[in-house]
Amino acid sequence: MKSTITTTLLVIIAIFIYFQYVSKPQVTQTAEMPTSLHPVVEEKMNQLIEQAAGKGISVVITDGFRSAEEQDRLYEKGRSSEGNIVTHARGGESYHNYGLAIDFAIKIPTGDILWDRQYDGNVNGVADWTEVVTIAKELGFEWGGDWINFKDYPHLEMDFGLAIDDLQRGERPSDVALQSEAN
């Protein structure tokens, strides 16, 4: 009986270790914080802009990489500074801080920037915003409009299978993950 319990505990520990450390081959350890958009995210962002333009939609990237200090300033909006709450993430808690997220809007012919999700500037019966989100998802982005609790409609991100706490611990997408995402 005692050996069965010991064996069971060892199996549980081995499974735990496997899922915690071994089953994440797509990441590599590095403590350096990025200072710009991740190359794959930047490439996919450019493809998004190009593909949307092909449908007669002008996409403007309103935000990309954001430092932790910039993130903290945004977090204070609607709290200790004027404005509406625009984020629930403090510095180091946003994919923007790791170069893995962008925000977008639509630029209309007058030069104005819109966040109107119903606007159909190319007059094809489908809102331009919806068309851009569809393209983004096809390129591998996740959309903040799909989130359950806090809808962030301009937000697009690529997490490469990494949670924020993984990134905070210094994990970064590896070259293997980058190559598979780029293709």
Side-chain angles (χ1 to χ4, degrees):
M1 180 71 171
K2 186 176 180 182
S3 69
T4 304
I5 293 172
T6 303
T7 303
T8 303
L9 283 173
L10 288 173
V11 169
I12 291 171
I13 291 169
I15 291 171
F16 174 78
I17 289 170
Y18 175 80
F19 282 107
Q20 284 297 109
Y21 303 105
V22 179
S23 70
K24 289 188 177 182
Q26 77 276 15
V27 297
T28 184
Q29 289 284 96
T30 176
E32 291 185 33
M33 285 294 288
T35 56
S36 63
L37 275 180
H38 190 282
V40 171
V41 175
E42 185 171 9
E43 177 185 339
K44 297 297 184 176
M45 173 191 75
N46 291 332
Q47 290 176 5
L48 173 67
I49 293 167
E50 184 179 310
Q51 289 181 27
K55 293 181 175 256
I57 303 167
S58 180
V59 171
V60 174
I61 303 304
T62 59
D63 212 349
F65 170 79
R66 202 183 291 148
S67 71
E69 294 77 22
E70 291 171 301
Q71 187 70 37
D72 283 336
R73 281 193 294 278
L74 272 181
Y75 180 82
E76 292 308 318
K77 280 190 175 185
R79 293 178 177 90
S80 64
S81 68
E82 287 187 38
N84 295 323
I85 291 176
V86 295
T87 184
H88 292 289
R90 295 177 189 260
E93 297 175 350
S94 170
Y95 284 100
H96 285 282
N97 305 146
Y98 301 93
L100 303 177
I102 59 173
D103 293 338
F104 77 96
I106 307 293
K107 184 176 182 178
I108 61 174
T110 62
D112 291 332
I113 306 298
L114 298 180
W115 285 266
D116 181 350
R117 295 188 339 250
Q118 308 309 315
Y119 175 77
D120 182 16
N122 61 3
V123 196
N124 66 353
V126 180
D128 292 356
W129 199 275
T130 301
E131 291 184 80
V132 171
V133 168
T134 299
I135 295 167
K137 287 179 177 183
E138 289 170 357
L139 291 169
F141 283 102
E142 294 176 38
W143 179 46
D146 288 333
W147 296 345
I148 304 285
N149 295 324
F150 179 73
K151 303 283 187 184
D152 191 353
Y153 296 105
H155 184 85
L156 301 168
E157 68 185 34
M158 292 184 150
D159 64 18
F160 300 98
L162 297 170
I164 289 294
D165 62 334
D166 296 326
L167 294 164
Q168 289 171 332
R169 283 193 309 271
E171 294 183 36
R172 302 290 182 264
S174 72
D175 291 338
V176 173
L178 302 181
Q179 290 171 358
S180 68
E181 288 292 331
N183 296 325

